[in-house]
Each structure stands twice: as C-alpha cells, then as structure tokens.
Amino acid sequence: MSASKTIANTRKLTVTAMLSAVAFLLMFLEFSVPMLIPSFVKMDLSDLPALIGAFSLGPVYGAVIELLKNILHIVFKGTTSAGIGELCNFTLGAAFTLSAGAVYLRWHTRRGAVAASLTGAVVMAAVSVPMNFFIVYPFYASVFGGMENIIAAYQAILPGVGSLLQCLLIFNAPFTLVKGLLDVVVCFFIYKPLSRVIQG
C-alpha cells in the first residue's frame, strides 16, 4: 500500500471517529415537540455528522458513524430500552445515510446532493413505519403497560386515531421526514467549508 493511500485511509478513520463523537454529543441535545407528537418521541440533529460523512467519505462511512454513535451512547449513557431504542436509531440513521450517500456518489453535483438528501429523508421516514410497528413499539408496550397506553398518547393530540399503524403514518413518518430534512438544511449550510477540511 502506498504512503498516500495509507494517509488517506488514516484521514478517513480519524474523520469517522471525530464525526461519531460529535454525533454522540448531539444525541444529548434532543427535545420534544409535544404539540405535534407524543413527548417520548424526540427530535435531535445527531444524524447530521453521519450525513456529512456519507457525502464526504462515502455511504458506508455514514452508516459506520451511525453505529459508533449508538455504541458510544450505550457505553457512556446506558440504555433504558435494552438497546431497542439504539437499534432503531441506528437502523433509521443508516437507511438515511446509505441511501443519500449512494445517490450522491453517482450524482456528484449540487443538484445531486439535493436529490440525495431528499431521497435519504424519504427512505428514513418509510423505514420508520415497519421498524416501529414490528419492533420498537411492541417492546415499549410490553414495558409500559400495553399498546393502548401508547395509542392514548397519540389520541391526546388527535382523538381520531385508533390504531398503531395510523399513529405511525400520521405522526411518526412525517416527523421522521421533517427530522431528516432539518439535518439536510443544516448540512447544506456547513458542508462546503467542512468538506475542504475533511478531504484535506
């Protein structure tokens, strides 16, 4: 392996570690939007460093950043969900960054970055429905007294919802889409100057 390739790989690993640490710290800045969705669903920008990594280093690096931030979260903060919450966070974040990074890899222009970002946000929102329906919410229902209590939290905002699938389609999928789009907006403001530093 040539010296230049070794330096490039070392740079990628270093940047991946740094972006993972930033993503981990951003997980602590989560907040609720109780007028739009039950307070146990949080908003944060922790997918932003992974999106930057996916654009600047490649889609796989974005997924690795998502994985590392969740491992750091479990190690340093612990988990209140037996790792289910972190698994969901990783799965959605990986869906976001892999799809966005893959599109940008093939269409490496500003327009491509927009298309990639929108694709990633839509894919993440779509994946959130089966992930929550089959894995996350059944687990929470077993811990917090049944699915009816979870659905009641949604009914407090919109009385007409009557099933978990309705809740996920009306609340969680749009909320996840907005979360992804918020990451995208911030990314577009800071990516250009950061990419010069990341890529050397």
Side-chain angles (χ1 to χ4, degrees):
M1 184 181 293
S2 66
S4 59
K5 194 167 185 180
T6 300
I7 291 172
N9 288 338
T10 302
R11 175 183 289 275
K12 286 182 177 181
L13 291 174
T14 302
V15 170
T16 299
M18 292 174 61
L19 290 174
S20 300
V22 174
F24 162 65
L25 293 175
L26 287 174
M27 293 182 80
F28 287 90
L29 302 180
E30 64 183 11
F31 57 93
S32 302
V33 191
M35 69 290 297
L36 298 177
I37 197 166
S39 59
F40 52 77
V41 182
K42 308 291 186 181
M43 174 74 76
D44 66 60
L45 290 174
S46 66
D47 294 321
L48 174 61
L51 182 61
I52 293 171
F55 281 172
S56 58
L57 304 174
V60 173
Y61 286 92
V64 170
I65 291 166
E66 293 285 355
L67 177 62
L68 291 177
K69 80 168 185 185
N70 279 287
I71 291 174
L72 289 170
H73 188 268
I74 291 174
V75 170
F76 288 101
K77 190 179 179 183
T79 177
T80 58
S81 62
I84 297 298
E86 288 77 16
L87 174 63
C88 179
N89 188 286
F90 164 69
T91 302
L92 299 189
F96 181 33
T97 54
L98 283 172
S99 54
V103 173
Y104 187 62
L105 199 62
R106 292 178 174 274
W107 193 4
H108 208 74
T109 64
R110 186 173 181 82
R111 184 175 295 181
V114 173
S117 301
L118 294 176
T119 298
V122 170
V123 169
M124 180 168 66
V127 171
S128 74
V129 175
M131 184 69 190
N132 283 311
F133 187 83
F134 291 110
I135 300 175
V136 178
Y137 278 54
F139 171 80
Y140 286 137
S142 68
V143 173
F144 299 114
M147 193 64 72
E148 62 275 4
N149 290 333
I150 292 175
I151 295 175
Y154 287 93
Q155 290 174 331
I157 302 171
L158 184 64
V161 294
S163 69
L164 176 60
L165 184 58
Q166 277 186 312
C167 295
L168 297 177
L169 292 174
I170 294 172
F171 289 93
N172 290 59
F175 183 83
T176 305
L177 177 63
V178 170
K179 182 176 182 287
L181 293 177
L182 185 59
D183 288 315
V184 168
V185 170
V186 178
C187 181
F188 270 80
F189 277 108
I190 67 175
Y191 177 71
K192 197 68 174 179
L194 279 180
S195 65
R196 298 191 186 100
V197 176
I198 291 172
Q199 296 172 359

